[in-house]
């Protein structure tokens, strides 16, 4: 169902890391389980939402 008057909405997701790629790789390599890897990635990511 279309909603009249709204128009096109564009949302941009920008993924950035809190540390350098090298530091992130070192942290990821030390993980032994998927849950550890997930926690490291989630703890080090910054997701920005913008653009309407």
């Amino acid at each position: 169902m279309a909603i009249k008057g709204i128009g096109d909405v564009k949302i941009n997701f920008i993924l950035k890391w809190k540390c350098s790629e090298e530091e992130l790789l070192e942290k990821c390599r030390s993980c032994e389980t998927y849950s550890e890897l997930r926690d490291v990635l989630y703890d080090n990511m910054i997701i920005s939402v913008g653009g309407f």
Side-chain angles (χ1 to χ4, degrees):
M1 180 173 125
I3 301 173
K4 293 183 180 181
I6 298 295
D8 292 334
V9 177
K10 294 182 180 180
I11 300 174
N12 297 322
F13 292 93
I14 302 166
L15 176 63
K16 295 181 181 179
W17 301 107
K18 293 179 183 178
C19 57
S20 70
E21 290 182 19
E22 293 81 18
E23 290 173 310
L24 186 62
L25 283 173
E26 284 299 316
K27 292 178 183 179
C28 290
R29 286 185 181 126
S30 67
C31 297
E32 295 182 5
T33 64
Y34 172 76
S35 60
E36 288 177 4
L37 177 62
R38 181 195 62 219
D39 291 343
V40 166
L41 292 175
Y42 285 170
D43 290 344
N44 287 285
M45 70 172 56
I46 302 169
I47 301 174
S48 302
V49 180
F52 291 98

